[in-house]
Coordinates of all heavy atoms in Angstrom, one line a residue:
L511 N 138.3 143.1 86.4 CA 137.8 143.0 85.0 C 136.5 143.8 84.9 O 136.3 144.4 83.8 CB 137.5 141.5 84.8 CG 137.0 141.2 83.3 CD1 138.1 141.6 82.4 CD2 137.0 139.6 83.2
T512 N 135.7 143.9 85.9 CA 134.5 144.7 85.8 C 134.9 146.3 85.6 O 134.2 146.9 84.8 CB 133.6 144.6 87.1 OG1 133.3 143.3 87.2 CG2 132.4 145.4 87.1
I513 N 135.9 146.7 86.3 CA 136.3 148.1 86.2 C 136.8 148.4 84.8 O 136.6 149.4 84.2 CB 137.4 148.4 87.2 CG1 137.0 148.3 88.6 CG2 138.1 149.8 87.0 CD1 138.0 148.5 89.7
L514 N 137.6 147.3 84.3 CA 138.1 147.4 82.8 C 136.9 147.6 81.8 O 136.9 148.3 81.0 CB 138.9 146.2 82.5 CG 139.4 146.2 81.1 CD1 140.3 147.4 80.7 CD2 140.2 144.8 80.8
L515 N 135.9 146.7 82.1 CA 134.7 146.7 81.2 C 134.1 148.1 81.3 O 133.5 148.5 80.3 CB 133.8 145.6 81.6 CG 134.3 144.1 81.3 CD1 133.3 143.1 81.7 CD2 134.9 144.0 79.9
V516 N 133.9 148.5 82.6 CA 133.2 149.8 82.6 C 134.0 150.9 82.0 O 133.4 151.8 81.3 CB 133.0 150.2 84.2 CG1 132.6 151.6 84.4 CG2 132.1 149.2 84.8
G517 N 135.3 150.9 82.1 CA 136.1 151.9 81.4 C 136.0 151.9 79.9 O 135.9 152.9 79.3
L518 N 135.9 150.7 79.3 CA 135.8 150.5 77.9 C 134.4 151.1 77.5 O 134.3 151.7 76.3 CB 135.9 149.1 77.5 CG 137.3 148.5 77.5 CD1 137.3 147.0 77.2 CD2 138.3 149.2 76.6
T519 N 133.4 150.8 78.2 CA 132.1 151.3 78.0 C 132.1 152.8 78.0 O 131.5 153.4 77.0 CB 131.1 150.7 79.1 OG1 131.1 149.3 79.0 CG2 129.7 151.2 78.8
I520 N 132.7 153.4 78.9 CA 132.7 154.8 79.0 C 133.4 155.4 77.7 O 133.0 156.5 77.1 CB 133.3 155.4 80.3 CG1 132.4 155.0 81.5 CG2 133.6 156.9 80.3 CD1 133.1 155.2 82.9
I521 N 134.6 154.9 77.4 CA 135.4 155.3 76.3 C 134.6 155.3 75.0 O 134.5 156.2 74.2 CB 136.6 154.5 76.2 CG1 137.6 154.8 77.3 CG2 137.3 154.8 74.8 CD1 138.8 153.9 77.4
F522 N 133.9 154.1 74.8 CA 133.2 154.0 73.5 C 131.9 154.8 73.5 O 131.4 155.2 72.5 CB 132.7 152.5 73.3 CG 133.9 151.6 72.9 CD1 134.2 150.4 73.6 CD2 134.6 152.0 71.8 CE1 135.2 149.6 73.2 CE2 135.8 151.2 71.4 CZ 136.1 150.0 72.1
L523 N 131.3 155.1 74.7 CA 130.2 156.0 74.8 C 130.6 157.4 74.4 O 129.8 158.0 73.6 CB 129.7 156.0 76.3 CG 128.3 156.6 76.6 CD1 127.2 156.1 75.7 CD2 128.0 156.6 78.0
I524 N 131.8 157.8 74.9 CA 132.2 159.1 74.4 C 132.6 159.1 73.0 O 132.2 160.1 72.2 CB 133.5 159.5 75.3 CG1 133.1 159.6 76.8 CG2 134.1 160.8 74.7 CD1 134.3 159.8 77.6
A525 N 133.1 158.1 72.5 CA 133.5 158.0 71.0 C 132.2 158.1 70.2 O 132.2 158.8 69.1 CB 134.3 156.7 70.8
V526 N 131.2 157.3 70.5 CA 130.0 157.3 69.7 C 129.3 158.7 69.9 O 128.6 159.2 68.9 CB 129.1 156.1 70.2 CG1 127.7 156.2 69.5 CG2 129.7 154.8 69.9
G527 N 129.3 159.2 71.0 CA 128.6 160.6 71.3 C 129.3 161.6 70.4 O 128.6 162.6 70.1
T528 N 130.5 161.5 69.9 CA 131.1 162.5 69.1 C 130.8 162.3 67.6 O 131.2 163.2 66.8 CB 132.7 162.5 69.3 OG1 133.1 161.3 69.0 CG2 133.0 162.9 70.7
I529 N 130.2 161.2 67.2 CA 130.1 160.9 65.8 C 129.1 161.8 65.1 O 129.3 162.2 63.9 CB 129.6 159.4 65.7 CG1 130.8 158.4 65.9 CG2 128.9 159.1 64.2 CD1 130.4 157.0 65.9
P530 N 128.0 162.2 65.7 CA 127.0 163.0 65.1 C 127.7 164.4 64.6 O 127.4 164.9 63.6 CB 126.0 163.3 66.1 CG 125.9 162.2 67.0 CD 127.4 161.8 67.1
G531 N 128.7 164.9 65.4 CA 129.4 166.2 64.9 C 130.2 166.0 63.7 O 130.2 166.7 62.9
F532 N 130.9 164.8 63.7 CA 131.7 164.5 62.5 C 130.9 164.3 61.3 O 131.2 164.6 60.2 CB 132.6 163.2 62.8 CG 133.8 163.5 63.6 CD1 133.7 163.1 65.0 CD2 134.8 164.1 63.2 CE1 134.8 163.3 65.8 CE2 135.9 164.4 64.2 CZ 135.9 163.9 65.4
A533 N 129.7 163.6 61.6 CA 128.8 163.4 60.4 C 128.2 164.6 59.8 O 128.2 164.8 58.6 CB 127.7 162.4 60.8
S534 N 127.9 165.5 60.7 CA 127.3 166.8 60.3 C 128.4 167.6 59.5 O 128.1 168.2 58.5 CB 126.9 167.7 61.6 OG 126.5 168.9 61.2
Y535 N 129.7 167.4 60.0 CA 130.7 168.3 59.3 C 130.9 167.7 57.9 O 131.3 168.4 56.9 CB 132.1 168.0 60.1 CG 133.2 168.7 59.4 CD1 133.5 170.0 59.5 CD2 134.2 167.8 58.8 CE1 134.6 170.6 58.9 CE2 135.4 168.4 58.2 CZ 135.4 169.8 58.3 OH 136.6 170.3 57.7
A536 N 130.7 166.4 57.7 CA 130.8 165.8 56.4 C 129.6 165.9 55.6 O 129.5 165.4 54.5 CB 131.1 164.3 56.6
G537 N 128.6 166.6 56.1 CA 127.3 166.9 55.3 C 126.3 165.9 55.4 O 125.4 165.7 54.5
G538 N 126.3 165.0 56.4 CA 125.3 164.0 56.6 C 124.9 163.9 58.0 O 125.2 164.7 58.9
S539 N 124.1 162.9 58.4 CA 123.6 162.6 59.8 C 123.5 161.1 60.0 O 123.3 160.4 59.1 CB 122.3 163.3 60.0 OG 121.2 162.8 59.2
V540 N 123.6 160.7 61.3 CA 123.4 159.4 61.7 C 122.3 159.3 62.6 O 122.3 159.9 63.7 CB 124.7 158.9 62.3 CG1 124.7 157.3 62.7 CG2 126.0 159.1 61.4
P541 N 121.3 158.3 62.3 CA 120.1 158.3 63.2 C 120.6 157.6 64.5 O 121.6 156.9 64.6 CB 119.2 157.2 62.4 CG 119.7 157.3 61.0 CD 121.2 157.6 61.1
V542 N 119.8 157.9 65.6 CA 120.1 157.5 67.0 C 120.2 156.0 67.0 O 121.0 155.4 67.7 CB 119.1 158.1 67.9 CG1 119.3 157.5 69.3 CG2 119.2 159.6 68.0
A543 N 119.2 155.4 66.3 CA 119.2 153.8 66.4 C 120.4 153.2 65.9 O 120.9 152.3 66.4 CB 118.0 153.4 65.6
I544 N 121.0 153.9 64.8 CA 122.2 153.3 64.3 C 123.5 153.6 65.2 O 124.3 152.7 65.5 CB 122.6 154.0 62.9 CG1 121.5 153.8 61.9 CG2 123.9 153.5 62.3 CD1 121.1 152.3 61.7
L545 N 123.4 154.8 65.8 CA 124.5 155.0 66.8 C 124.4 154.1 68.1 O 125.4 153.6 68.6 CB 124.4 156.5 67.4 CG 124.7 157.6 66.4 CD1 124.3 159.0 66.9 CD2 126.2 157.5 66.0
A546 N 123.2 153.7 68.5 CA 122.9 152.8 69.5 C 123.5 151.4 69.1 O 124.1 150.8 70.0 CB 121.4 152.7 69.9
A547 N 123.2 151.0 67.9 CA 123.6 149.6 67.5 C 125.2 149.7 67.5 O 125.8 148.6 67.9 CB 123.1 149.4 66.0
L548 N 125.8 150.7 67.1 CA 127.3 150.8 67.0 C 127.8 150.7 68.5 O 128.7 149.9 68.8 CB 127.7 152.1 66.4 CG 129.3 152.4 66.5 CD1 129.9 151.4 65.7 CD2 129.5 153.8 66.0
L549 N 127.2 151.4 69.4 CA 127.6 151.4 70.8 C 127.6 150.0 71.4 O 128.5 149.5 71.9 CB 126.9 152.4 71.6 CG 127.2 152.3 73.2 CD1 128.7 152.7 73.4 CD2 126.3 153.3 73.9
I550 N 126.5 149.3 71.1 CA 126.3 148.0 71.7 C 127.3 146.9 71.1 O 127.7 146.0 71.8 CB 124.8 147.5 71.5 CG1 123.9 148.4 72.2 CG2 124.7 146.1 72.1 CD1 124.2 148.6 73.7
T551 N 127.6 147.1 69.8 CA 128.6 146.2 69.2 C 130.1 146.5 69.7 O 130.9 145.7 69.7 CB 128.6 146.2 67.7 OG1 128.6 147.5 67.2 CG2 127.2 145.5 67.3
L552 N 130.2 147.8 70.0 CA 131.5 148.2 70.4 C 131.8 147.8 71.9 O 133.0 147.3 72.3 CB 131.7 149.8 70.4 CG 131.9 150.3 69.0 CD1 131.9 151.9 69.1 CD2 133.1 149.8 68.2
I553 N 131.0 147.9 72.8 CA 131.2 147.6 74.2 C 131.2 146.2 74.5 O 130.6 145.3 73.7 CB 130.1 148.3 75.2 CG1 128.6 147.8 74.8 CG2 130.2 149.8 75.0 CD1 127.6 148.3 75.8
P554 N 131.9 145.7 75.4 CA 132.1 144.1 75.7 C 131.0 143.5 76.3 O 131.1 143.1 77.4 CB 133.4 144.1 76.5 CG 133.4 145.4 77.2 CD 132.7 146.4 76.4
T555 N 129.9 143.4 75.6 CA 128.7 142.8 76.2 C 128.9 141.3 76.4 O 128.3 140.8 77.4 CB 127.5 143.1 75.2 OG1 127.8 142.6 73.9 CG2 127.1 144.4 75.2

C-alpha cells in the first residue's frame, strides 16, 4: 500500500508540475501556493 501511495504521489506531482505550461498557453498563470494546495488535495494524505 505504501508503494501504491508513493506511485500516486509521483503521478500527481508530475501532473501538477505540467499545469504552469498549460496555464501559460491559455494566457494565464497559476501561483505556486495554489499549485501546492492542488497537489496536497490530490495525493492520498
Side-chain angles (χ1 to χ4, degrees):
L511 187 53
T512 300
I513 293 171
L514 174 62
L515 299 183
V516 171
L518 290 174
T519 301
I520 293 172
I521 290 170
F522 286 128
L523 188 60
I524 295 171
V526 172
T528 61
I529 286 175
F532 286 107
S534 176
Y535 177 78
S539 63
V540 182
V542 174
I544 301 301
L545 291 172
L548 174 63
L549 176 62
I550 298 307
T551 52
L552 287 175
I553 63 177
T555 52

